Amino acid sequence: MTNSLLFGISIFVYFFSMVLYVSYLAFRSESLGKVATFVLLAGVGVETAAIFLRWYESYQMGIGRAPLTNLYESLVFFALTIAVVYLIMERKFGIKTAGAFVTPFPFLIMAYASLNPNEIQPLVPALQSNWLISHVVTCFIGYAAFAVSFGVSFLYLFKVRAERGPAKSKKGDTLLAYLPESDLLDEVGYKTIAIGFPLLTIGIITGAFWANVAWGTYWSWDPKETWSLIVWLIYAAYLHARITKGWKGKKAALLSIVGFSATLFCYLGVNLILSGLHSYGGAS
Amino acid sequence: MPEDTKKKEKQTNIVDTIWDFFTSLKLVITLLLLLSVLSVAGTVIEQNKPIQEYYRFFKPETVELFSKLGLLDMYHSWWFTSCLALLALNILACTMERYPFIVRGMRRQSVVLDEKLEAGLTNLATIKYTLPAETVESRVTAIAGKNFPARPVITEAAGAKHLFYEKGRYSRLAFFLTHLSVLVIFIGAITGSLAGFKGYVNINEGETISSIPARKGANKDLNFSVKCNTFQVDFYPNGAPKDYRSDLSVIRDGKEVLRKTIRVNDPLDYEGITFYQSSYGRLPNAVTFEMRGRGGVSLGNVSAPFGTQVDVPGGGIKIEVLDYREHFHLSDGSEAGPAYGVNIIRPAAAPEGIWISEPKPEMNRYGEYSFVVKDARFINYTGLQVNKDPGVWLVWTGSLILVAGIMMAFFMSHKKFWIRIGKDKKGQVVVTAGGMTNKNKHAFAGEVKKLVDGFREVS
């Protein structure tokens, strides 16, 4: 299958972009930074081609469906959206040093995806719906925005902690000075959530609408739905605290990290751990 | 102080305290985080399973405790519902609290750039010109008009001309949209659960039903009937179902009023009642058993139509086929193939049910009798989820308002911009300009700077 070859190449490209972003942080050379961005863009290009090729190949196999329907396909799409959202934020806010904290995601997620079965399987009747694309795309761009906010918040905490710490060696100081202003990091952490939250909201609503068409109930408190609501509630709390009470800095960064942990659990944990009473199991 | 007043004051204090509690940000954040933490419990303990399932995994006293706490159906428990109700009250109170501020913010206040307003503007700029006032005005308004498409409010006051520009005033309503939409969704959900109905029905091919067994409570009688004309299912080469569909007719007063082939993701809707393709299966139409008596002596064949009591020759008992499992599992978990649920009716005794396995006749003993399945004819049935939800449109309306509100809240702001064109003591034309916004002040400062830079270039 040609699409898996392209996906394989994109893993390597993402790996190189991660190495470049980390070296950019270590050596602080502008030209390294430019190459890092370029390589990440190339990774996005290769992966986008791979996704469209997979779509096309599914038609050739007589199945014909968007490549957004199983764990493998959602993982590769997640990696792509994280890279894209990050590139947009980098361009808009010039926070290239945050790349070292965000680009490990696309690489690690692609590497994890490659461990999962990747045959193009036909769709069960419940997934044969026009709602599939809008539901999955909105949810995953939302998740990706939360991932970028997580990376930026992490960098924020790292920077604030280092600044407050005891006097560092000269090398450490120059590195710190090279990082974006902590206010800017705080702002970008918020802005990405401001992008992710509306998209998650639309994702939950399209999911509810679809569930109502397919199963006759828009909300059934199943673990996936409930966890998506948990994620939504956490970010809603974040936004209220920030907008109304002016929560900034450390508290906001921590809440963003909690929010993304819940997002990851909603996405992966629910599928891998909460598949049922039996997997939880055990009298205690 | 007279007692009366004291009492009154005390009362107002209590009211104030309650009001402060319901409008506090602490309550919002606590509730949002509490609801999310509570929700986790419901995903860890599977909800609404048959009670036996819980006993398989937990100690009996644990199951009892969970059941008492409402943890087995926690999203409908009194404490979870109370949290939601508290959230609703909180939203309502905050909306009322905010109402006057938002209305005040929307009211067009100062259209004149006076000294008092000047003091409140952080980005105020003053530019002097050697050009005549008319030229300055036409060029400056041309620049401002590109950024603010709506016509300015022009006022002559204190010997100067004041222009007031405004954009996105209605974005202040985003607060109402986002918060009231949640209440609309709640009302929709409550309407659905009070006035709606959820049921499930199997219809055999060719048969007609006119009532639905409800999930909870009594059967729901329809004032029409539904016939399943045919049911079909296609499979992929790997054996997974590709498409299943039922050809349904809605019959009213003996006449077909609607006919539709429904599939998963494409239900049938009639008079607010929706029929969803949910599952399918097959049931034996008639089963033929060879009955054997003591010592394995054959008593001959018995043909039993589904759901009908049939005499067993020479036995004095009757049998009735009532159930069927495509894959019957024994108590040790192994599979015993297709099996038929049969009631054995002795005279003057309660019927006794047994499962008769098709591939394992050696298991099918009942007292002195044993059964061998000789033949079975099947009929397909379609499984339909049947719903009536008069609140669902409110849920969608609320959802749309919520999305619109969030978009407005994040991506729009109320921007105000003032220009004053006057003359100084020497008679030179002076333009003073500045702006104000309620959100995203950093980006707006850039916008104002760009405008002012444009004004400076006027010559």
Side-chain angles (χ1 to χ4, degrees), chain A residues 177-252:
Chain A
Y178 208 69
L179 294 176
E181 286 301 312
S182 41
D183 278 355
L184 180 65
L185 289 173
D186 180 60
E187 182 73 11
V188 176
Y190 162 69
K191 283 270 160 68
T192 36
I193 289 175
I195 294 170
F197 188 73
L199 285 163
L200 177 68
T201 311
I202 297 173
I204 293 175
I205 292 170
T206 49
F209 200 91
W210 183 9
N212 194 47
V213 173
W215 303 315
T217 169
Y218 54 85
W219 195 263
S220 47
W221 293 107
D222 94 335
K224 196 73 166 184
E225 285 170 355
T226 310
W227 270 94
S228 71
L229 180 69
I230 292 168
V231 172
W232 192 86
L233 290 169
I234 293 173
Y235 286 108
Y238 172 97
L239 292 167
H240 279 89
R242 185 166 186 116
I243 295 169
T244 318
K245 215 176 184 180
W247 268 32
K248 280 198 166 188
K250 210 170 163 187
K251 280 192 206 163

Side-chain angles (χ1 to χ4, degrees), chain B residues 162-393:
Chain B
H162 301 258
L163 295 99
F164 172 61
Y165 292 87
E166 195 183 19
K167 198 156 74 173
R169 187 184 346 156
Y170 292 99
S171 72
R172 286 185 185 267
L173 292 175
F175 176 87
F176 292 128
L177 298 187
T178 49
H179 290 82
L180 294 179
S181 67
V182 175
L183 295 184
V184 173
I185 292 173
F186 280 3
I187 293 169
I190 293 167
T191 310
S193 71
L194 292 182
F197 144 87
K198 263 189 171 56
Y200 179 89
V201 68
N202 286 333
I203 314 179
N204 292 340
E205 239 180 338
E207 285 183 8
T208 306
I209 54 106
S210 55
S211 80
I212 311 288
R215 282 261 178 83
K216 285 172 191 161
N219 279 11
K220 162 95 176 167
D221 289 319
L222 307 174
N223 46 15
F224 54 88
S225 39
V226 176
K227 182 179 177 190
C228 172
N229 300 302
T230 56
F231 174 81
Q232 282 168 309
V233 53
D234 301 335
F235 295 95
Y236 290 113
N238 70 2
K242 179 182 185 180
D243 178 34
Y244 45 105
R245 53 196 178 274
S246 317
D247 174 9
L248 300 184
S249 291
V250 175
I251 296 158
R252 185 155 213 175
D253 304 326
K255 272 187 223 152
E256 181 182 274
V257 286
L258 183 65
R259 183 164 185 167
K260 183 178 176 180
T261 300
I262 66 162
R263 353 166 94 80
V264 182
N265 278 312
D266 187 13
L268 172 137
D269 208 49
Y270 184 71
E271 288 196 341
I273 298 179
T274 315
F275 297 80
Y276 300 86
Q277 181 71 67
S278 175
S279 69
Y280 62 89
R282 57 178 202 163
L283 276 179
N285 209 1
V287 191
T288 306
F289 300 105
E290 187 196 340
M291 301 280 306
R292 291 179 185 170
R294 217 174 289 276
V297 185
S298 178
L299 303 171
N301 287 353
V302 180
S303 186
F306 194 77
T308 310
Q309 293 187 4
V310 185
D311 287 312
V312 173
I317 60 166
K318 290 179 177 192
I319 61 168
E320 181 182 10
V321 180
L322 280 173
D323 206 350
Y324 172 71
R325 297 270 167 84
E326 194 93 42
H327 305 279
F328 185 74
H329 290 272
L330 301 175
S331 49
D332 63 1
S334 66
E335 195 184 317
Y340 302 85
V342 172
N343 257 354
I344 296 181
I345 303 127
R346 285 178 186 274
E352 275 182 77
I354 62 165
W355 283 97
I356 294 177
S357 158
E358 187 167 334
K360 297 186 174 173
E362 67 278 5
M363 294 172 28
N364 306 331
R365 300 201 153 274
Y366 175 78
E368 68 267 37
Y369 299 103
S370 64
F371 297 76
V372 182
V373 179
K374 283 287 177 196
D375 184 39
R377 271 168 297 128
F378 288 91
I379 188 164
N380 288 327
Y381 68 83
T382 181
L384 305 179
Q385 168 83 32
V386 186
N387 279 7
K388 182 186 164 192
D389 190 342
V392 76
W393 67 275

Side-chain angles (χ1 to χ4, degrees), chain B residues 19 22-25 28 89-99 175-176 179:
Chain B
W19 184 254
F22 275 109
T23 53
S24 73
L25 188 74
V28 190
L89 280 177
N90 178 217
I91 291 173
L92 204 62
C94 286
T95 311
M96 286 161 72
E97 174 98 346
R98 279 283 193 96
Y99 179 78
F175 176 87
F176 292 128
H179 290 82

Side-chain angles (χ1 to χ4, degrees), chain B residues 147 304 386 415:
Chain B
N147 204 47
V386 186
K415 297 167 179 171

Side-chain angles (χ1 to χ4, degrees), chain B residues 76-110:
Chain B
H76 303 102
S77 68
W78 66 267
W79 40 270
F80 195 79
T81 323
S82 308
C83 282
L84 290 176
L86 216 56
L87 184 68
L89 280 177
N90 178 217
I91 291 173
L92 204 62
C94 286
T95 311
M96 286 161 72
E97 174 98 346
R98 279 283 193 96
Y99 179 78
F101 292 97
I102 289 171
V103 169
R104 199 182 306 159
M106 279 180 60
R107 214 174 280 151
R108 191 175 291 171
Q109 334 103 306
S110 25

